[in-house]
Amino acid sequence: MNKIPSTYLIGGAVAVAVAVGLYLGVAKNGIPPEGLGLTWWRKINKKKKAVRVYMDGCFDMMHYGHCNALRQARALGDQLVVGVVSDAEIIANKGPPVTPLHERMIMVKAVKWVDEVICDAPYAITEDFMKKLFDEYNIDYIIHGDDPCVLPDGTDAYALAKKAGRYKQIKRTEGVSSTDIVGRMLLCVRERSVSDNQNHSSLQRQFSHGHGQKFEDGVSGTGTRISHFLPTSRRIVQFSNGKGPGPDAHIVYIDGAFDLFHAGHVEILRVARELGDFLLVGIHNDQTVSAKRGVHRPIMNLHERSLSVLACRYVDEVIIGAPWEVSKDMVSTFFLGLYLFLEFHLFSGISFLLKNLC
């Protein structure tokens, strides 16, 4: 084995010490010290640039599938900029949207993985808009799902981004789409039109188990695919904040069905969050919603509704399958210890407990 001369070791140690000293001098003074060229100073002092990614969409009747797409997109960078397509562009390429632009903007801004929103984004990535994204918004990559996005003329809406080498793809969330949700709503209408002597089963039960109801004409519902969403603990963890309240946190509790999560839900959650430091949301199970609101509700099953609520930036935690009435046992389970003060508010009528029967 060759021996390394001690002079080399000493020389190397001195070089490292000099480099560390120069670095500390830069960090301390913010200017290059003597003996260090400007180019080397810039390399040493250069900060890591945040990776900004862009994703666009119609986000019509926004659901947990949209939210999961935004979550995946955000994971590909440090900052997520979202373009919300205008009503006119949607009409020209797909047909009229169900929810107007201002409501879709509210929904997208409320998603906790979104850092910035661009209003009236074009449906297709044009050369001019792509240049604007790169130059004005400092976008590094354009993101889209693995489902094809084809323009009326048959071309790929993201062809230019792919050609530029600035395109990344995420996996589409199976089991839900805006079209599917509209189909579920239409199925409700059709089920109501069936004669009273028909044996009606709750739609929430159909959605939860993936079985369609057979009608006299032999058609299953309206032919719409019913939810095959399979909840997993991993998906719930991905949507969860993973943080509890602080020792002196003022906890606000609000409950409801939160079916077809919409801009009105976002607003009431925002107001509730402003009343304290930690917002806990109770989500009623399918059976409770059906019993209180009718056999045709809910449209979205419990776990679908839970993910939509968890994705909202104003929500800190949810109770999946919360009871209709808040009992003392529930208070003992969720609010004792650090939450003890809430029991006083709960039974003294102070508005830290909000009953949301939507």
Side-chain angles (χ1 to χ4, degrees), residues 23-64:
Y23 175 79
L24 292 176
V26 170
K28 183 177 180 181
N29 302 318
I31 58 174
E34 289 186 25
L36 184 65
L38 184 60
T39 301
W40 280 102
W41 171 73
R42 284 175 176 170
K43 287 182 179 180
I44 293 173
N45 203 39
K46 184 179 179 181
K47 294 182 179 179
K48 181 183 176 183
K49 177 184 176 293
V51 176
R52 287 168 60 84
V53 296
Y54 172 81
M55 185 174 191
D56 59 14
C58 301
F59 303 106
D60 195 18
M61 298 192 70
M62 193 162 181
H63 48 73
Y64 68 91

